[in-house]
Amino acid sequence: MDIQRALELLHMTVFSQSVSPCGKYLAAGNNYGEIAVFSLSAALSSEAKEESKKPVVSFTAHDGPVYAMVSTERQLLSAGNGEVKAWNWSDIVKKGCKEAWSRRPPYRSSLEVPEINSLQLNPKDNSLLLAGGDCSVHAMDLESGTFTHEFRGHSDYVHCLALRDQYQECLSGSEDGTVRMWDLRTGAQVQVIEVHKYEECSRPQNGKWIRCLATDCDWMVCGGGPALTLWHLRSVTPTTVFPLPHCQQHVMFYQDLILSAGHSPAINHLQISGELRAQIPCTPRSVHSLCVNQRSPEHKVAGCSLEGGGRMARGRGAE
Amino acid sequence: MLSTLSQCEFSMGKTLLVYDMNLREMENYEKIYKDIENSIAAAHEKIAECKKQILQAKRIRKNRQEYDALAKVIQHHPDRHETLKQLEALGKELQHLSHIKENVEDKLELRRKQFHVLLSTIHELQQTLENDEKLSEAEESQETHMEEETKQ
């Protein structure tokens, strides 16, 4: 392996990952704009060798880092600097795959190209929500490819998105420290929660940015600069503040637990009551994304992607 | 020769018996194999049942924890009965005070009216006194005028 590649691997950060619809492959996008596809069945089987832990196929998808990826029934959607591209899963595994389509949300200024930080699928009306660096959330219809709504209101770029299925609302967390709720049908802003103004969770030494959001219709977890807190959405009160000293970069609800990971080399399993049930150590120093493979009955594994190592670390979720 | 014949017969009988024995052993093993397969299938089903139960129990636990979390927040707020009582007491005080205010205002009105009556009667009296003085002055001047006329 030449020095160039070794240096690249050293500085590689994997920002996003997504599991294939059949549950057998994991795609990961890194800061060089490449997407690598790993075969989970080969890597986790009992006869796994070093070779089967390497990517099955890897191609350059975007010219900037791939910040967000999400999978539909048949396609992998990846987003990087200003555009969303779709790849068919059936073509990905064969070499030399071409993108199915590529779209660019309407940005107000054509000078700068804002990056897309997060993607969220809305299966009810088959649309895709994009959180952008232009401080707004765009909604795109997947069938026609047109951009239906633009939710403007944040004063700084939007980091993360979460979807409240029951009420057809979308939550967005941004660098300006607010979590805003948008009604997807009317396009209006429903509520603003200024997380850093609440004393229980604000940590002014870290800043007020909200990096990760997850919602369960009635409850919401958000973290970043302020401490990771569980909020009850109907009364908009912070109920539990989790005792994690580091800034959390990704959080999700899983069964009765809340999984979170951030600037520390561990995946935290938290209970809604506020206790830290388990802290699974992992190889990378800082974790950018978590995903749980729920589509395959044999390989229920939580994957986490990392910074500063170029390797995929997997921790088996303790069931 | 008879002995070799009988020996052969004997070994033949032995091998026949061994063959029978093997057949029965095979049947036995088949039976045990089927039993084990059945119990494996039953165990699989039990595992699936237990997994469902675990999921159910996890959901219950999650609901309980959510309830606890909300209850903690609610406890911070004061009791509803107490606030209702305080509200009632404050309402009564308000009523009482407005009553007193009404009474005082009525008294004030009455006094004002009485003063008004008093002042107007004083003015009238003043007016009548002045009128009387003017009348008496006019009468005196008329008398002196008449006296002067009779003198001439």
Side-chain angles (χ1 to χ4, degrees):
Chain A
M1 201 164 42
D2 57 333
I3 300 185
Q4 176 81 358
R5 187 69 187 154
L7 269 178
E8 268 183 14
L9 276 183
L10 194 62
H11 290 281
M12 190 186 303
T13 309
V14 176
F15 280 117
S16 53
Q17 51 183 340
S18 175
V19 180
S20 69
C22 53
K24 298 204 196 119
Y25 298 101
L26 178 71
N30 69 3
N31 57 339
Y32 297 118
E34 299 170 348
I35 294 182
V37 180
F38 297 83
S39 163
L40 281 175
S41 38
L44 295 174
S45 64
S46 36
E47 322 90 44
K49 302 167 294 233
E50 264 310 307
E51 277 306 309
S52 43
K53 296 204 179 145
K54 298 242 174 94
V56 169
V57 76
S58 146
F59 53 94
T60 309
H62 293 261
D63 27 313
V66 183
Y67 285 119
M69 288 209 291
V70 87
S71 270
T72 61
E73 290 298 315
R74 272 172 304 173
Q75 289 180 330
L76 171 69
L77 304 167
S78 67
N81 260 343
E83 49 184 14
V84 184
K85 293 194 185 173
W87 316 82
N88 284 321
W89 269 107
S90 43
D91 297 336
I92 281 182
V93 198
K94 310 171 204 153
K95 314 261 170 161
C97 139
K98 284 231 145 149
E99 66 213 32
W101 47 259
S102 147
R103 290 260 179 275
R104 200 187 183 85
Y107 295 121
R108 270 169 294 152
S109 82
S110 51
L111 287 170
E112 52 173 53
V113 182
E115 74 282 8
I116 297 179
N117 281 323
S118 168
L119 290 174
Q120 180 78 31
L121 268 180
N122 184 6
K124 255 196 194 159
D125 53 339
N126 203 18
S127 67
L128 181 68
L129 295 159
L130 305 104
D134 61 339
C135 317
S136 61
V137 180
H138 296 269
M140 182 182 103
D141 181 45
L142 278 174
E143 278 185 36
S144 57
T146 53
F147 287 91
T148 47
H149 291 289
E150 184 181 343
F151 304 105
R152 259 179 253 169
H154 279 291
S155 50
D156 215 340
Y157 47 90
V158 186
H159 273 294
C160 46
L161 288 173
L163 185 69
R164 256 178 122 188
D165 246 350
Q166 236 178 348
Y167 308 110
Q168 279 295 294
E169 277 174 11
C170 140
L171 292 118
S172 59
S174 118
E175 179 79 13
D176 64 0
T178 56
V179 172
R180 285 174 205 246
M181 289 205 261
W182 313 91
D183 186 326
L184 291 172
R185 279 180 287 228
T186 59
Q189 177 178 294
V190 175
Q191 203 165 37
V192 181
I193 305 176
E194 291 194 341
V195 182
H196 59 106
K197 293 240 168 101
Y198 289 83
E199 276 178 30
E200 304 106 325
C201 49
S202 91
R203 293 189 295 199
Q205 72 271 21
N206 286 335
K208 51 183 181 165
W209 42 280
I210 303 288
R211 173 75 166 87
C212 53
L213 260 185
T215 183
D216 198 19
C217 283
D218 293 320
W219 302 81
M220 167 183 92
V221 186
C222 69
L228 191 69
T229 347
L230 178 70
W231 292 73
H232 185 235
L233 280 176
R234 274 172 116 214
S235 55
V236 193
T237 45
T239 50
T240 0
V241 179
F242 295 105
L244 296 168
H246 301 276
C247 301
Q248 300 303 307
Q249 308 211 72
H250 201 248
V251 72
M252 60 192 296
F253 278 97
Y254 178 64
Q255 288 182 351
D256 65 327
L257 293 174
I258 295 174
L259 305 176
S260 85
H263 282 169
S264 59
I267 301 180
N268 308 303
H269 290 219
L270 301 152
Q271 276 184 322
I272 293 181
S273 56
E275 346 167 339
L276 182 65
R277 189 156 145 241
Q279 207 163 29
I280 317 272
C282 52
T283 8
R285 282 190 316 253
S286 151
V287 179
H288 280 285
S289 103
L290 285 174
C291 79
V292 177
N293 180 5
Q294 291 183 334
R295 305 197 203 197
S296 151
E298 298 103 35
H299 301 120
K300 276 215 163 76
V301 166
C304 74
S305 73
L306 70 123
E307 171 181 291
R311 275 185 302 237
M312 287 282 304
R314 282 183 214 93
R316 243 175 238 269
E319 292 265 335
Chain B
M1 213 166 75
L2 268 173
S3 62
T4 44
L5 263 176
S6 61
Q7 265 182 0
C8 284
E9 273 184 26
F10 181 65
S11 59
M12 199 178 82
K14 214 167 60 166
T15 43
L16 268 175
L17 283 174
V18 167
Y19 173 66
D20 273 339
M21 181 194 82
N22 283 338
L23 275 179
R24 263 180 281 159
E25 278 293 313
M26 277 287 295
E27 275 178 27
N28 199 10
Y29 282 147
E30 287 275 345
K31 198 171 79 142
I32 294 182
Y33 180 67
K34 279 208 190 91
D35 280 341
I36 291 182
E37 265 193 20
N38 285 343
S39 53
I40 285 181
H44 269 303
E45 276 179 29
K46 255 198 215 164
I47 286 181
E49 259 299 310
C50 287
K51 275 196 186 162
K52 270 192 234 157
Q53 282 183 356
I54 277 191
L55 273 180
Q56 175 77 351
K58 279 191 178 170
R59 242 178 284 154
I60 290 178
R61 179 162 67 170
K62 182 173 166 191
N63 287 338
R64 227 179 265 159
Q65 287 185 340
E66 285 177 4
Y67 174 83
D68 279 336
L70 269 179
K72 250 192 263 174
V73 176
I74 290 176
Q75 288 289 62
H76 282 300
H77 289 278
D79 201 4
R80 188 163 40 135
H81 290 295
E82 277 188 33
T83 23
L84 271 175
K85 275 193 212 149
Q86 280 183 6
L87 269 172
E88 264 187 51
L90 279 173
K92 277 197 194 132
E93 254 195 71
L94 254 175
Q95 262 191 351
H96 184 60
L97 287 172
S98 57
H99 234 28
I100 292 180
K101 189 170 118 176
E102 269 182 41
N103 287 347
V104 166
E105 274 184 7
D106 282 341
K107 254 194 231 171
L108 198 67
E109 269 299 307
L110 196 65
R111 299 276 190 286
R112 212 181 277 153
K113 280 188 197 148
Q114 286 178 340
F115 265 119
H116 189 68
V117 165
L118 183 67
L119 279 174
S120 50
T121 36
I122 288 181
H123 270 143
E124 271 186 38
L125 186 63
Q126 234 180 10
Q127 284 284 332
T128 38
L129 280 175
E130 277 177 16
N131 282 346
D132 279 345
E133 264 192 40
K134 276 194 200 147
L135 272 175
S136 61
E137 268 181 28
E139 272 183 23
E140 274 186 28
S141 62
Q142 248 193 356
E143 273 184 25
T144 46
H145 199 63
M146 271 177 51
E147 273 184 22
E148 276 180 22
E149 273 191 12
T150 46
K151 257 190 195 167
Q152 283 171 2

